[in-house]
Amino acid sequence: MKDLRTMAGTRDFLMVADSKLVSYANVTALLAAGVQFVAPVPAAQVKDGVYAALDPALATVVDWVPDRDAAKPAERRESYRVLEDTHTLRGPRKSDPELTVRRILVHSTANAAGQQAARDKRLTKAAEDLNKLASAAGGRHYKSAEKVLARVGVITAKRRVASCLRFTVAEDDAGTPCLTWHFDQEILAAEAAVDGWYALLTTLPPEQADPGQVLIHYKGQGTVERRYHDFKGPLAVAPVFVQHNRRVAALIQVICLALLVFCLIERQVRRALGPEQTMRGLYPDNRRVRLTGRMIFYHLGELTLRIGHITDPPTVQITRGVQLHLLDLLDTDIGQTRWPQT
């Protein structure tokens, strides 16, 4: 952290991380070093009752729209609301001082809809399985109450409905088992009240960032995460064994330079395309898509160089129109080829 702050100089340094950052030891070190951070709280550290007691209608609407929703009508866009309180972290020893930091409680309509849809799907599948079992109880495969109970246990675990499933397995005078069941609606309502909520921790002071700005800072993590994906994907970074730490540093520097070029090429093409940053011709169906560095290199990777001679200079052979379009967007003159220096 100290090295990164030194590299950043006098500019503000904000660390945006995932939930693994939030531990007593890590937060203690960050506070001692004066490093500002934003990170989501691990789910186990916030009880469902905290979220259930919150009212989204009383939260502040955040003036921010995800890129994926920019072209959608306002009523179909994901919306965010925020509240603020404090979060306390306790150390492993009783003598460890308690740490109190800002906690931003965030409600996302898209998260809430996704969680509700996932729950409905689980309940529908569980209901189908339980109805089949109720019809088959007493038949060839489920002649005893023990076998019915065992099957209920499998369904409960597979469909993850243990918290809300209520059932009874009884036997008549002939020993034939009978299954009755239902879902506890109070439990389901309590689960639905938690949908869409999550929490962020931050050491940013309120005068520097209000709750909505903290969320926007956190959402910026996606851009960096996508570059990590590029780092592991299009650049084909594979394990390399080196003998000295300085060679590790040199290798990382070369890889980061390659990633920088990769990002700048994507940036140049997008800026040349204008506000929409989309184009056709990248896929066989000719649909308009948002351009990525991976797509650019995929299409330009098929360019070939015809070797010439003294009176006939080398030329770049273009086989498809999309290649010429990309080169124009990159402001690249393919006629300015050079002989290799010896």
Side-chain angles (χ1 to χ4, degrees), residues 102-119:
R102 293 177 69 193
R103 182 171 66 181
I104 310 302
L105 301 161
V106 183
H107 184 270
S108 163
T109 54
N111 284 6
Q115 290 166 347
Q116 182 62 53
R119 183 185 305 105

Side-chain angles (χ1 to χ4, degrees), residues 25 45 193 240 252 327 333 342:
Q45 293 189 22
V240 177
I252 292 174
L327 291 172
D333 184 2
T342 58

Side-chain angles (χ1 to χ4, degrees), residues 63-80 110 275-278 290:
D63 185 16
W64 182 79
V65 178
D67 290 342
R68 63 178 179 274
D69 289 349
K72 296 180 180 179
E75 64 275 7
R76 294 182 54 195
R77 294 175 180 173
E78 180 180 8
S79 64
Y80 293 87
E276 291 187 0
Q277 299 184 351
T278 60
R290 183 181 173 92

Side-chain angles (χ1 to χ4, degrees), residues 295-326:
M295 294 179 187
I296 296 170
F297 277 92
Y298 172 79
H299 289 285
L300 295 183
E302 298 180 0
L303 291 175
T304 57
L305 178 66
R306 184 182 65 80
I307 303 300
H309 49 78
I310 297 299
T311 59
D312 182 18
T315 58
V316 176
Q317 296 180 329
I318 298 176
T319 58
R320 288 179 291 136
V322 67
Q323 297 171 340
L324 183 60
H325 189 193
L326 289 173

Side-chain angles (χ1 to χ4, degrees), residues 134-209:
S135 299
R140 181 178 60 175
H141 299 291
Y142 304 102
K143 292 182 178 180
S144 64
E146 290 76 13
K147 290 186 177 181
V148 174
L149 286 171
R151 180 57 184 168
V152 171
V154 171
I155 295 173
T156 300
K158 181 179 180 181
R159 304 304 182 187
R160 292 174 292 144
V161 292
S163 62
C164 63
L165 178 61
R166 304 292 180 262
F167 66 92
T168 302
V169 178
E171 292 183 341
D172 58 16
D173 296 338
T176 301
C178 176
L179 170 66
T180 57
W181 65 272
H182 69 278
F183 292 129
D184 191 324
Q185 296 302 314
E186 291 186 3
I187 297 297
L188 294 179
E191 292 180 0
V194 179
D195 288 349
W197 286 102
Y198 61 91
L200 303 173
L201 295 188
T202 185
T203 51
L204 285 168
E207 62 273 13
Q208 189 171 338

